[in-house]
Amino acid sequence: ENQAYVIGVNRCGKDPALKYSGRSIIVDPSGVILTDAGDRECCIHADLDFNLVKKLRKQLPFQDDLKYIPPVEVKRNYLSD
């Protein structure tokens, strides 16, 4: 809903207890996968188009629905020893 790039990283390979699937990925704000590392160890990169973010946020202005809610003071009750 924030129309933002998502960059997810994950370990790949295995250790004595677990196998890790990898699949580090970069996804653009409209859900298009820009790059996917698959199950191998590597570095991934992608060009990020911030004009696309602006365009999508104008087309779907979800952030206009945000309302400011002032913080509430939290008072804690501590039991004495």
Side-chain angles (χ1 to χ4, degrees), residues 20-38:
Y20 300 93
S21 63
R23 303 301 304 221
S24 295
I25 195 169
I26 302 173
V27 182
D28 83 1
S30 58
V32 174
I33 296 172
L34 300 177
T35 188
D36 182 339

Side-chain angles (χ1 to χ4, degrees), residues 9-21:
V9 298
N10 192 21
R11 181 178 174 177
C12 64
K14 58 185 176 179
D15 65 24
L18 298 169
K19 182 178 178 186
Y20 300 93
S21 63

